[in-house]
Amino acid sequence: MRYSAVVVASGSGTRLNLPYNKMFYLFNNKTIIYRSVLPFLEDEECQQVIIVINPKEESIFSNIFNNQKITYTYGGSLRGISVYNGLKLVKERYVLIHDGARPNLKKDLIARIKKGLLNYNSVIPVIKSKDATMQNDKYISDISL
């Protein structure tokens, strides 16, 4: 299944108290954004990766990536605007949208999403949340309100 990927990376490091965009934070000698984009670059079915960035950081991103699959567009004042700006450049029927600040994307998850798209118009991967309410040192998972 051929698809495009939109990776939103135009944020900042404010919540992490970083003086720079958290995408450039080094984790095991690789930037967060590199780790977030790599699974798409390694997937032959991914035809394009659109990275949504702050225009002031384009040269930094260009130094991290040298791949013809990658194009850049600029983010907006809100996340929804940034995603929309990325979607405007999509060339494939299917698109996967990923938060660039999530560097642990696994190829298996991408494969499961693509498999789900064969049967559904949209797919959202989720992890079942464990409720934070405890009783007698055990989590209570089913709470009736």
mmCIF file with all atom_site columns, all heavy atoms in Angstrom, residues 37 40-41 46-51 62 65-72 91:
data_model
loop_
_atom_site.group_PDB
_atom_site.id
_atom_site.type_symbol
_atom_site.label_atom_id
_atom_site.label_alt_id
_atom_site.label_comp_id
_atom_site.label_asym_id
_atom_site.label_entity_id
_atom_site.label_seq_id
_atom_site.pdbx_PDB_ins_code
_atom_site.Cartn_x
_atom_site.Cartn_y
_atom_site.Cartn_z
_atom_site.occupancy
_atom_site.B_iso_or_equiv
_atom_site.pdbx_formal_charge
_atom_site.auth_seq_id
_atom_site.auth_comp_id
_atom_site.auth_asym_id
_atom_site.auth_atom_id
_atom_site.pdbx_PDB_model_num
ATOM 1   N N   . VAL A 1 37 ? 11.241 9.937  12.045 1.00 0.00 ? 37 VAL A N   1
ATOM 2   C CA  . VAL A 1 37 ? 11.053 9.860  10.593 1.00 0.00 ? 37 VAL A CA  1
ATOM 3   C C   . VAL A 1 37 ? 11.627 8.574  10.005 1.00 0.00 ? 37 VAL A C   1
ATOM 4   O O   . VAL A 1 37 ? 11.128 8.057  8.999  1.00 0.00 ? 37 VAL A O   1
ATOM 5   C CB  . VAL A 1 37 ? 11.688 11.111 9.921  1.00 0.00 ? 37 VAL A CB  1
ATOM 6   C CG1 . VAL A 1 37 ? 11.751 10.970 8.411  1.00 0.00 ? 37 VAL A CG1 1
ATOM 7   C CG2 . VAL A 1 37 ? 10.924 12.370 10.314 1.00 0.00 ? 37 VAL A CG2 1
ATOM 8   N N   . PHE A 1 40 ? 9.549  5.624  8.478  1.00 0.00 ? 40 PHE A N   1
ATOM 9   C CA  . PHE A 1 40 ? 8.898  5.933  7.205  1.00 0.00 ? 40 PHE A CA  1
ATOM 10  C C   . PHE A 1 40 ? 9.902  5.867  6.055  1.00 0.00 ? 40 PHE A C   1
ATOM 11  O O   . PHE A 1 40 ? 9.593  5.360  4.977  1.00 0.00 ? 40 PHE A O   1
ATOM 12  C CB  . PHE A 1 40 ? 8.237  7.312  7.252  1.00 0.00 ? 40 PHE A CB  1
ATOM 13  C CG  . PHE A 1 40 ? 7.135  7.416  8.263  1.00 0.00 ? 40 PHE A CG  1
ATOM 14  C CD1 . PHE A 1 40 ? 7.233  8.285  9.339  1.00 0.00 ? 40 PHE A CD1 1
ATOM 15  C CD2 . PHE A 1 40 ? 5.988  6.639  8.148  1.00 0.00 ? 40 PHE A CD2 1
ATOM 16  C CE1 . PHE A 1 40 ? 6.223  8.392  10.274 1.00 0.00 ? 40 PHE A CE1 1
ATOM 17  C CE2 . PHE A 1 40 ? 4.962  6.733  9.073  1.00 0.00 ? 40 PHE A CE2 1
ATOM 18  C CZ  . PHE A 1 40 ? 5.085  7.613  10.143 1.00 0.00 ? 40 PHE A CZ  1
ATOM 19  N N   . LEU A 1 41 ? 11.102 6.372  6.283  1.00 0.00 ? 41 LEU A N   1
ATOM 20  C CA  . LEU A 1 41 ? 12.119 6.348  5.240  1.00 0.00 ? 41 LEU A CA  1
ATOM 21  C C   . LEU A 1 41 ? 12.516 4.917  4.890  1.00 0.00 ? 41 LEU A C   1
ATOM 22  O O   . LEU A 1 41 ? 12.862 4.626  3.736  1.00 0.00 ? 41 LEU A O   1
ATOM 23  C CB  . LEU A 1 41 ? 13.355 7.141  5.675  1.00 0.00 ? 41 LEU A CB  1
ATOM 24  C CG  . LEU A 1 41 ? 13.155 8.640  5.887  1.00 0.00 ? 41 LEU A CG  1
ATOM 25  C CD1 . LEU A 1 41 ? 14.455 9.284  6.361  1.00 0.00 ? 41 LEU A CD1 1
ATOM 26  C CD2 . LEU A 1 41 ? 12.643 9.310  4.626  1.00 0.00 ? 41 LEU A CD2 1
ATOM 27  N N   . CYS A 1 46 ? 6.209  3.758  1.689  1.00 0.00 ? 46 CYS A N   1
ATOM 28  C CA  . CYS A 1 46 ? 6.082  5.191  1.971  1.00 0.00 ? 46 CYS A CA  1
ATOM 29  C C   . CYS A 1 46 ? 6.714  5.949  0.810  1.00 0.00 ? 46 CYS A C   1
ATOM 30  O O   . CYS A 1 46 ? 7.921  5.857  0.576  1.00 0.00 ? 46 CYS A O   1
ATOM 31  C CB  . CYS A 1 46 ? 6.756  5.553  3.292  1.00 0.00 ? 46 CYS A CB  1
ATOM 32  S SG  . CYS A 1 46 ? 6.595  7.306  3.698  1.00 0.00 ? 46 CYS A SG  1
ATOM 33  N N   . GLN A 1 47 ? 5.905  6.696  0.097  1.00 0.00 ? 47 GLN A N   1
ATOM 34  C CA  . GLN A 1 47 ? 6.363  7.395  -1.102 1.00 0.00 ? 47 GLN A CA  1
ATOM 35  C C   . GLN A 1 47 ? 6.874  8.800  -0.822 1.00 0.00 ? 47 GLN A C   1
ATOM 36  O O   . GLN A 1 47 ? 7.682  9.324  -1.584 1.00 0.00 ? 47 GLN A O   1
ATOM 37  C CB  . GLN A 1 47 ? 5.228  7.464  -2.127 1.00 0.00 ? 47 GLN A CB  1
ATOM 38  C CG  . GLN A 1 47 ? 4.714  6.109  -2.533 1.00 0.00 ? 47 GLN A CG  1
ATOM 39  C CD  . GLN A 1 47 ? 5.799  5.226  -3.108 1.00 0.00 ? 47 GLN A CD  1
ATOM 40  O OE1 . GLN A 1 47 ? 6.407  5.588  -4.112 1.00 0.00 ? 47 GLN A OE1 1
ATOM 41  N NE2 . GLN A 1 47 ? 6.072  4.086  -2.477 1.00 0.00 ? 47 GLN A NE2 1
ATOM 42  N N   . GLN A 1 48 ? 6.393  9.401  0.248  1.00 0.00 ? 48 GLN A N   1
ATOM 43  C CA  . GLN A 1 48 ? 6.838  10.752 0.593  1.00 0.00 ? 48 GLN A CA  1
ATOM 44  C C   . GLN A 1 48 ? 6.670  10.974 2.084  1.00 0.00 ? 48 GLN A C   1
ATOM 45  O O   . GLN A 1 48 ? 5.758  10.432 2.711  1.00 0.00 ? 48 GLN A O   1
ATOM 46  C CB  . GLN A 1 48 ? 6.088  11.826 -0.204 1.00 0.00 ? 48 GLN A CB  1
ATOM 47  C CG  . GLN A 1 48 ? 4.665  12.034 0.221  1.00 0.00 ? 48 GLN A CG  1
ATOM 48  C CD  . GLN A 1 48 ? 3.934  13.137 -0.519 1.00 0.00 ? 48 GLN A CD  1
ATOM 49  O OE1 . GLN A 1 48 ? 2.795  12.958 -0.821 1.00 0.00 ? 48 GLN A OE1 1
ATOM 50  N NE2 . GLN A 1 48 ? 4.551  14.265 -0.787 1.00 0.00 ? 48 GLN A NE2 1
ATOM 51  N N   . VAL A 1 49 ? 7.582  11.760 2.631  1.00 0.00 ? 49 VAL A N   1
ATOM 52  C CA  . VAL A 1 49 ? 7.504  12.171 4.026  1.00 0.00 ? 49 VAL A CA  1
ATOM 53  C C   . VAL A 1 49 ? 7.475  13.688 4.031  1.00 0.00 ? 49 VAL A C   1
ATOM 54  O O   . VAL A 1 49 ? 8.427  14.339 3.580  1.00 0.00 ? 49 VAL A O   1
ATOM 55  C CB  . VAL A 1 49 ? 8.704  11.650 4.858  1.00 0.00 ? 49 VAL A CB  1
ATOM 56  C CG1 . VAL A 1 49 ? 8.601  12.126 6.302  1.00 0.00 ? 49 VAL A CG1 1
ATOM 57  C CG2 . VAL A 1 49 ? 8.796  10.135 4.788  1.00 0.00 ? 49 VAL A CG2 1
ATOM 58  N N   . ILE A 1 50 ? 6.380  14.233 4.497  1.00 0.00 ? 50 ILE A N   1
ATOM 59  C CA  . ILE A 1 50 ? 6.223  15.686 4.579  1.00 0.00 ? 50 ILE A CA  1
ATOM 60  C C   . ILE A 1 50 ? 6.461  16.065 6.029  1.00 0.00 ? 50 ILE A C   1
ATOM 61  O O   . ILE A 1 50 ? 5.719  15.650 6.916  1.00 0.00 ? 50 ILE A O   1
ATOM 62  C CB  . ILE A 1 50 ? 4.812  16.111 4.141  1.00 0.00 ? 50 ILE A CB  1
ATOM 63  C CG1 . ILE A 1 50 ? 4.545  15.633 2.712  1.00 0.00 ? 50 ILE A CG1 1
ATOM 64  C CG2 . ILE A 1 50 ? 4.621  17.619 4.287  1.00 0.00 ? 50 ILE A CG2 1
ATOM 65  C CD1 . ILE A 1 50 ? 3.086  15.470 2.385  1.00 0.00 ? 50 ILE A CD1 1
ATOM 66  N N   . ILE A 1 51 ? 7.517  16.825 6.275  1.00 0.00 ? 51 ILE A N   1
ATOM 67  C CA  . ILE A 1 51 ? 7.827  17.251 7.633  1.00 0.00 ? 51 ILE A CA  1
ATOM 68  C C   . ILE A 1 51 ? 7.375  18.701 7.782  1.00 0.00 ? 51 ILE A C   1
ATOM 69  O O   . ILE A 1 51 ? 7.800  19.574 7.020  1.00 0.00 ? 51 ILE A O   1
ATOM 70  C CB  . ILE A 1 51 ? 9.321  17.107 7.955  1.00 0.00 ? 51 ILE A CB  1
ATOM 71  C CG1 . ILE A 1 51 ? 9.785  15.666 7.690  1.00 0.00 ? 51 ILE A CG1 1
ATOM 72  C CG2 . ILE A 1 51 ? 9.592  17.496 9.407  1.00 0.00 ? 51 ILE A CG2 1
ATOM 73  C CD1 . ILE A 1 51 ? 11.273 15.442 7.928  1.00 0.00 ? 51 ILE A CD1 1
ATOM 74  N N   . SER A 1 62 ? 17.327 20.371 7.152  1.00 0.00 ? 62 SER A N   1
ATOM 75  C CA  . SER A 1 62 ? 18.001 19.962 5.920  1.00 0.00 ? 62 SER A CA  1
ATOM 76  C C   . SER A 1 62 ? 19.358 19.328 6.208  1.00 0.00 ? 62 SER A C   1
ATOM 77  O O   . SER A 1 62 ? 19.808 18.462 5.448  1.00 0.00 ? 62 SER A O   1
ATOM 78  C CB  . SER A 1 62 ? 18.176 21.163 4.987  1.00 0.00 ? 62 SER A CB  1
ATOM 79  O OG  . SER A 1 62 ? 16.914 21.637 4.576  1.00 0.00 ? 62 SER A OG  1
ATOM 80  N N   . PHE A 1 65 ? 18.549 15.563 7.366  1.00 0.00 ? 65 PHE A N   1
ATOM 81  C CA  . PHE A 1 65 ? 18.033 14.632 6.361  1.00 0.00 ? 65 PHE A CA  1
ATOM 82  C C   . PHE A 1 65 ? 18.576 14.939 4.983  1.00 0.00 ? 65 PHE A C   1
ATOM 83  O O   . PHE A 1 65 ? 18.631 16.088 4.566  1.00 0.00 ? 65 PHE A O   1
ATOM 84  C CB  . PHE A 1 65 ? 16.500 14.698 6.301  1.00 0.00 ? 65 PHE A CB  1
ATOM 85  C CG  . PHE A 1 65 ? 15.828 14.269 7.571  1.00 0.00 ? 65 PHE A CG  1
ATOM 86  C CD1 . PHE A 1 65 ? 15.258 15.208 8.409  1.00 0.00 ? 65 PHE A CD1 1
ATOM 87  C CD2 . PHE A 1 65 ? 15.778 12.928 7.920  1.00 0.00 ? 65 PHE A CD2 1
ATOM 88  C CE1 . PHE A 1 65 ? 14.635 14.817 9.580  1.00 0.00 ? 65 PHE A CE1 1
ATOM 89  C CE2 . PHE A 1 65 ? 15.153 12.528 9.094  1.00 0.00 ? 65 PHE A CE2 1
ATOM 90  C CZ  . PHE A 1 65 ? 14.589 13.474 9.922  1.00 0.00 ? 65 PHE A CZ  1
ATOM 91  N N   . ASN A 1 66 ? 18.940 13.875 4.289  1.00 0.00 ? 66 ASN A N   1
ATOM 92  C CA  . ASN A 1 66 ? 19.314 13.967 2.889  1.00 0.00 ? 66 ASN A CA  1
ATOM 93  C C   . ASN A 1 66 ? 18.608 12.815 2.181  1.00 0.00 ? 66 ASN A C   1
ATOM 94  O O   . ASN A 1 66 ? 19.200 11.769 1.934  1.00 0.00 ? 66 ASN A O   1
ATOM 95  C CB  . ASN A 1 66 ? 20.832 13.877 2.723  1.00 0.00 ? 66 ASN A CB  1
ATOM 96  C CG  . ASN A 1 66 ? 21.254 13.997 1.277  1.00 0.00 ? 66 ASN A CG  1
ATOM 97  O OD1 . ASN A 1 66 ? 20.494 14.485 0.441  1.00 0.00 ? 66 ASN A OD1 1
ATOM 98  N ND2 . ASN A 1 66 ? 22.449 13.527 0.965  1.00 0.00 ? 66 ASN A ND2 1
ATOM 99  N N   . ASN A 1 67 ? 17.327 13.009 1.917  1.00 0.00 ? 67 ASN A N   1
ATOM 100 C CA  . ASN A 1 67 ? 16.530 11.937 1.343  1.00 0.00 ? 67 ASN A CA  1
ATOM 101 C C   . ASN A 1 67 ? 15.497 12.545 0.403  1.00 0.00 ? 67 ASN A C   1
ATOM 102 O O   . ASN A 1 67 ? 14.793 13.485 0.779  1.00 0.00 ? 67 ASN A O   1
ATOM 103 C CB  . ASN A 1 67 ? 15.844 11.138 2.457  1.00 0.00 ? 67 ASN A CB  1
ATOM 104 C CG  . ASN A 1 67 ? 15.219 9.875  1.957  1.00 0.00 ? 67 ASN A CG  1
ATOM 105 O OD1 . ASN A 1 67 ? 14.305 9.901  1.147  1.00 0.00 ? 67 ASN A OD1 1
ATOM 106 N ND2 . ASN A 1 67 ? 15.716 8.750  2.448  1.00 0.00 ? 67 ASN A ND2 1
ATOM 107 N N   . GLN A 1 68 ? 15.393 11.992 -0.776 1.00 0.00 ? 68 GLN A N   1
ATOM 108 C CA  . GLN A 1 68 ? 14.480 12.538 -1.779 1.00 0.00 ? 68 GLN A CA  1
ATOM 109 C C   . GLN A 1 68 ? 13.011 12.347 -1.433 1.00 0.00 ? 68 GLN A C   1
ATOM 110 O O   . GLN A 1 68 ? 12.158 13.014 -2.016 1.00 0.00 ? 68 GLN A O   1
ATOM 111 C CB  . GLN A 1 68 ? 14.778 11.925 -3.148 1.00 0.00 ? 68 GLN A CB  1
ATOM 112 C CG  . GLN A 1 68 ? 16.112 12.358 -3.704 1.00 0.00 ? 68 GLN A CG  1
ATOM 113 C CD  . GLN A 1 68 ? 16.367 11.789 -5.084 1.00 0.00 ? 68 GLN A CD  1
ATOM 114 O OE1 . GLN A 1 68 ? 15.780 10.790 -5.478 1.00 0.00 ? 68 GLN A OE1 1
ATOM 115 N NE2 . GLN A 1 68 ? 17.247 12.442 -5.824 1.00 0.00 ? 68 GLN A NE2 1
ATOM 116 N N   . LYS A 1 69 ? 12.707 11.466 -0.506 1.00 0.00 ? 69 LYS A N   1
ATOM 117 C CA  . LYS A 1 69 ? 11.312 11.280 -0.089 1.00 0.00 ? 69 LYS A CA  1
ATOM 118 C C   . LYS A 1 69 ? 10.805 12.469 0.722  1.00 0.00 ? 69 LYS A C   1
ATOM 119 O O   . LYS A 1 69 ? 9.614  12.663 0.854  1.00 0.00 ? 69 LYS A O   1
ATOM 120 C CB  . LYS A 1 69 ? 11.175 10.036 0.810  1.00 0.00 ? 69 LYS A CB  1
ATOM 121 C CG  . LYS A 1 69 ? 11.155 8.715  0.126  1.00 0.00 ? 69 LYS A CG  1
ATOM 122 C CD  . LYS A 1 69 ? 10.819 7.642  1.157  1.00 0.00 ? 69 LYS A CD  1
ATOM 123 C CE  . LYS A 1 69 ? 10.879 6.258  0.598  1.00 0.00 ? 69 LYS A CE  1
ATOM 124 N NZ  . LYS A 1 69 ? 10.498 5.234  1.592  1.00 0.00 ? 69 LYS A NZ  1
ATOM 125 N N   . ILE A 1 70 ? 11.719 13.247 1.286  1.00 0.00 ? 70 ILE A N   1
ATOM 126 C CA  . ILE A 1 70 ? 11.339 14.290 2.244  1.00 0.00 ? 70 ILE A CA  1
ATOM 127 C C   . ILE A 1 70 ? 11.081 15.622 1.556  1.00 0.00 ? 70 ILE A C   1
ATOM 128 O O   . ILE A 1 70 ? 11.869 16.071 0.725  1.00 0.00 ? 70 ILE A O   1
ATOM 129 C CB  . ILE A 1 70 ? 12.419 14.456 3.328  1.00 0.00 ? 70 ILE A CB  1
ATOM 130 C CG1 . ILE A 1 70 ? 12.480 13.196 4.180  1.00 0.00 ? 70 ILE A CG1 1
ATOM 131 C CG2 . ILE A 1 70 ? 12.155 15.680 4.192  1.00 0.00 ? 70 ILE A CG2 1
ATOM 132 C CD1 . ILE A 1 70 ? 13.545 13.223 5.247  1.00 0.00 ? 70 ILE A CD1 1
ATOM 133 N N   . THR A 1 71 ? 9.953  16.226 1.938  1.00 0.00 ? 71 THR A N   1
ATOM 134 C CA  . THR A 1 71 ? 9.667  17.615 1.591  1.00 0.00 ? 71 THR A CA  1
ATOM 135 C C   . THR A 1 71 ? 9.264  18.323 2.877  1.00 0.00 ? 71 THR A C   1
ATOM 136 O O   . THR A 1 71 ? 8.839  17.692 3.843  1.00 0.00 ? 71 THR A O   1
ATOM 137 C CB  . THR A 1 71 ? 8.534  17.744 0.550  1.00 0.00 ? 71 THR A CB  1
ATOM 138 O OG1 . THR A 1 71 ? 7.367  17.093 1.048  1.00 0.00 ? 71 THR A OG1 1
ATOM 139 C CG2 . THR A 1 71 ? 8.928  17.147 -0.772 1.00 0.00 ? 71 THR A CG2 1
ATOM 140 N N   . TYR A 1 72 ? 9.389  19.625 2.867  1.00 0.00 ? 72 TYR A N   1
ATOM 141 C CA  . TYR A 1 72 ? 9.063  20.423 4.048  1.00 0.00 ? 72 TYR A CA  1
ATOM 142 C C   . TYR A 1 72 ? 7.923  21.377 3.730  1.00 0.00 ? 72 TYR A C   1
ATOM 143 O O   . TYR A 1 72 ? 7.770  21.845 2.612  1.00 0.00 ? 72 TYR A O   1
ATOM 144 C CB  . TYR A 1 72 ? 10.279 21.239 4.507  1.00 0.00 ? 72 TYR A CB  1
ATOM 145 C CG  . TYR A 1 72 ? 11.456 20.394 4.896  1.00 0.00 ? 72 TYR A CG  1
ATOM 146 C CD1 . TYR A 1 72 ? 12.540 20.251 4.036  1.00 0.00 ? 72 TYR A CD1 1
ATOM 147 C CD2 . TYR A 1 72 ? 11.486 19.729 6.108  1.00 0.00 ? 72 TYR A CD2 1
ATOM 148 C CE1 . TYR A 1 72 ? 13.629 19.469 4.393  1.00 0.00 ? 72 TYR A CE1 1
ATOM 149 C CE2 . TYR A 1 72 ? 12.566 18.944 6.477  1.00 0.00 ? 72 TYR A CE2 1
ATOM 150 C CZ  . TYR A 1 72 ? 13.632 18.815 5.603  1.00 0.00 ? 72 TYR A CZ  1
ATOM 151 O OH  . TYR A 1 72 ? 14.696 18.026 5.957  1.00 0.00 ? 72 TYR A OH  1
ATOM 152 N N   . LYS A 1 91 ? 0.447  13.299 -1.864 1.00 0.00 ? 91 LYS A N   1
ATOM 153 C CA  . LYS A 1 91 ? 0.254  12.826 -3.232 1.00 0.00 ? 91 LYS A CA  1
ATOM 154 C C   . LYS A 1 91 ? -0.388 11.446 -3.302 1.00 0.00 ? 91 LYS A C   1
ATOM 155 O O   . LYS A 1 91 ? -0.851 11.033 -4.360 1.00 0.00 ? 91 LYS A O   1
ATOM 156 C CB  . LYS A 1 91 ? 1.598  12.786 -3.957 1.00 0.00 ? 91 LYS A CB  1
ATOM 157 C CG  . LYS A 1 91 ? 2.225  14.146 -4.134 1.00 0.00 ? 91 LYS A CG  1
ATOM 158 C CD  . LYS A 1 91 ? 3.576  14.044 -4.800 1.00 0.00 ? 91 LYS A CD  1
ATOM 159 C CE  . LYS A 1 91 ? 4.211  15.427 -4.897 1.00 0.00 ? 91 LYS A CE  1
ATOM 160 N NZ  . LYS A 1 91 ? 5.576  15.350 -5.423 1.00 0.00 ? 91 LYS A NZ  1
#
